[in-house]
Amino acid sequence: MGTKLDIAICGGGIGGLSASIALALDGHKVTVFEAASKLDEVQNTHSRPARIKIGSSIQLPPNATKYLQERGIQSHLSDRTVYPENLFVRRWRDGKTIAGVNWKELGKKYGGPYMHVYRADLQAALLGIAEERGVNYRLDSKVVDIDVETPAVTLKSGERSKADLVVVADGKECSGADSKLSQKLFGDERSPQLTYSGMAAYSATLEVSLLQEYPDLAWLVDIPNTNVWIGKGRSIETYTLHAHSLFRMIFHCPDPVPPEKWDEPQEAMRQKIAKDFADWDPIISILTYFLPAPTKRPLMDRPTHPYTSAPPTRQVVLLGSAAHTLPPYLSQSTAMTIEDSILLASCLQDCSSNPSEAHASDAPSTIPSALHHFSTKRASRVSAVTEASEQMGALWHMSDGEAQRQRDAESAPLGDRVWRVEEGNPYIWGNEEGRRWLYGYDAGVEGLEGL
């Protein structure tokens, strides 16, 4: 092992906390600087009976949850997590099942369960683990500047804190906002910019008990499954959350208006959703009738960030949504952030904070060389997963025609909940090679290869 490092992490969200745990487990001294004065909480604000306003949700696949499971996440999440059994992909017009996957079987094969969880719940659970590992988590500590040569961070209060390594994890992908610190580090010319994809995601939440009152809807919540209706440039995803007590709906549809000009009231958003999906499966029409006040966010595009700047003296690295933005169609955004954290810790295992040690033939790597290795590995992986996510979106949003009929024939279930897993299945979880590449990836091992 190399020298234990003093590490400053800018941002105490999912990325910052995941990194702090992975690094603290290797014995590094870690301080997390979080701008917020208190953590977000899951809020149940009832404006009308059975309507609920609640924070953003996360789907976590096995390539992320196997690491969380190793760190004892279940004991901190208690009963707030849902473990879905299956994913049903349905035809837009009539809800006919055209593809699917058994999430429980996939989770057993690749070492971690598929999970549905609220962002605030996951953040609180990660904070609990981080504090158990001795991480210093500082609220109301906004980082406004980074000295890349020292390195050091400067807080809004004027306090300056030196470190061996600075990790920038202040991205806000769920809101479509960019990392302010990455813009400072790289400048507008070198920093790949977020651009609007032309697609919006509308989200809303109902209580499961409401759906159970109506026979036409109860089947959606009888068993914790994920359902996705696809076609005509749009898609709808539904699943349950919070101990199977809440029902989440996410509508993906085109919106040519740029986000900076969005100002429609919630009733106008409801009307747009109802209009865009008016001729879909009748179940969707029923759901839109009960639709509570939705929230709306833009789906953003950006080339994968270089993670760390070129000059070899710099000891600053980007992580999570400060470095990458993924389409939602494979539910890999948070998973890539967690992989970032594991691989970064792996790259730093034999790292020295003393550059003079690099002259010895058996010396550990220096921080800049470790960060270069990390950046190269992650840029390759995240770019490939981003491309796979874009391809899944294209599959979801096909218009009816010959290509759509071929897609459905190649992925059709072999029987009731007997999912087709074979070469030629266009869905990545429908063929063994795709499953192994996406869900069987081991970030810890990858970080050590070629170091």
Side-chain angles (χ1 to χ4, degrees):
M1 294 290 289
T3 307
K4 298 307 177 185
L5 305 176
D6 190 341
I7 300 173
I9 298 179
C10 309
I14 305 302
L17 282 167
S18 299
S20 74
I21 294 166
L23 294 164
L25 282 169
D26 281 343
H28 301 297
K29 178 184 176 184
V30 183
T31 303
V32 177
F33 297 96
E34 168 55 40
S37 58
K38 62 179 181 179
L39 289 182
D40 291 336
E41 294 179 348
V42 178
Q43 299 178 358
N44 297 336
T45 306
H46 296 262
S47 55
R48 291 180 289 177
R51 270 67 170 177
I52 193 165
K53 177 182 178 183
I54 200 154
S56 62
S57 55
I58 296 174
Q59 297 185 62
L60 287 172
N63 53 307
T65 58
K66 60 187 173 186
Y67 304 115
L68 298 179
Q69 191 168 248
E70 290 170 0
R71 285 149 180 78
I73 195 74
Q74 277 88 346
S75 64
H76 288 269
L77 282 174
S78 185
D79 61 352
R80 289 170 288 175
T81 302
V82 170
Y83 302 96
E85 295 191 7
N86 295 277
L87 164 65
F88 293 88
V89 180
R90 303 183 179 277
R91 180 163 164 74
W92 67 273
R93 185 184 292 279
D94 55 14
K96 176 185 176 182
T97 302
I98 55 178
V101 61
N102 185 317
W103 286 138
K104 291 205 167 183
E105 175 270 328
L106 196 74
K108 288 179 181 178
K109 185 167 186 176
Y110 293 105
Y114 203 97
M115 292 168 51
H116 297 159
V117 64
Y118 271 111
R119 184 176 296 273
D121 284 341
L122 179 59
Q123 185 176 10
L126 291 172
L127 177 58
I129 297 172
E131 290 178 335
E132 288 177 356
R133 299 298 178 179
V135 172
N136 181 15
Y137 190 89
R138 296 182 50 178
L139 290 166
D140 200 18
S141 300
K142 182 177 182 179
V143 176
V144 295
D145 199 14
I146 299 174
D147 178 346
V148 298
E149 303 298 341
T150 303
V153 299
T154 301
L155 307 186
K156 185 178 179 180
S157 64
E159 178 186 348
R160 191 170 188 269
S161 180
K162 293 182 179 180
D164 296 313
L165 170 66
V166 175
V167 179
V168 177
D170 68 332
K172 303 291 184 183
E173 185 178 330
C174 62
S175 64
D178 208 348
S179 162
K180 300 300 183 184
L181 291 173
S182 71
Q183 290 177 334
K184 277 180 171 290
L185 288 171
F186 290 87
D188 289 339
E189 292 184 0
R190 290 193 60 230
S191 180
Q193 297 298 301
L194 283 169
T195 57
Y196 177 46
S197 70
M199 295 288 289
Y202 297 85
S203 302
T205 306
L206 294 169
E207 291 186 357
V208 164
S209 59
L210 172 66
L211 277 70
Q212 290 172 331
E213 295 176 8
Y214 297 88
D216 288 343
L217 299 178
W219 64 272
L220 288 168
V221 295
D222 283 345
I223 298 173
N225 289 317
T226 309
N227 288 280
V228 182
W229 287 257
I230 65 172
K232 298 206 312 177
R234 297 167 174 80
S235 53
I236 305 162
E237 191 167 9
T238 69
Y239 50 88
T240 59
L241 290 160
H242 218 59
H244 199 58
S245 65
L246 301 173
F247 180 76
R248 188 72 160 174
M249 299 171 284
I250 303 175
F251 300 79
H252 299 122
C253 50
D255 189 337
V257 179
E260 60 270 19
K261 295 184 178 180
W262 288 356
D263 62 356
E264 68 262 56
Q266 288 182 322
E267 182 57 33
M269 286 192 270
R270 292 182 67 221
Q271 292 175 4
K272 174 176 170 52
I273 293 169
K275 179 180 178 181
D276 280 3
F277 296 94
D279 59 345
W280 284 48
D281 182 357
I283 288 294
I284 304 304
S285 296
I286 300 173
L287 288 175
T288 57
Y289 173 79
F290 287 105
L291 194 69
T295 60
K296 180 181 180 182
R297 72 178 180 93
L299 300 184
M300 308 300 286
D301 291 331
R302 178 176 57 194
T304 302
H305 210 290
Y307 282 88
T308 186
S309 53
T313 57
R314 295 194 174 185
Q315 297 182 184
V316 179
V317 66
L318 306 185
L319 181 143
S321 54
H324 47 67
T325 301
L326 281 79
Y329 310 112
L330 280 176
S331 301
Q332 284 290 325
S333 181
T334 303
M336 290 300 99
T337 295
I338 293 171
E339 283 187 6
D340 285 352
S341 303
I342 301 302
L343 195 137
L344 178 61
S346 179
C347 290
L348 292 170
Q349 278 186 11
D350 292 319
C351 194
S352 172
S353 60
N354 184 359
S356 65
E357 292 184 11
H359 294 296
S361 59
D362 59 347
S365 62
T366 62
I367 294 174
S369 65
L371 296 188
H372 176 73
H373 183 72
F374 166 80
S375 178
T376 301
K377 291 284 188 179
R378 288 313 290 160
S380 175
R381 166 72 170 173
V382 174
S383 294
V385 175
T386 299
E387 183 178 352
S389 300
E390 291 168 347
Q391 291 171 353
M392 180 65 79
L395 281 174
W396 281 18
H397 297 154
M398 276 184 179
S399 297
D400 286 353
E402 182 58 35
Q404 164 262 320
R405 287 188 287 273
Q406 181 178 349
R407 174 202 68 188
D408 295 349
E410 292 173 343
S411 62
L414 300 173
D416 183 27
R417 304 192 185 189
V418 181
W419 308 119
R420 187 184 298 270
V421 181
E422 61 187 23
E423 186 178 354
N425 190 321
Y427 296 95
I428 198 165
W429 30 253
N431 62 82
E432 290 294 350
E433 183 180 359
R435 288 176 168 216
R436 185 167 52 252
W437 171 76
L438 185 60
Y439 303 116
Y441 178 85
D442 191 322
V445 172
E446 181 73 11
L448 297 175
E449 291 181 355
L451 188 61

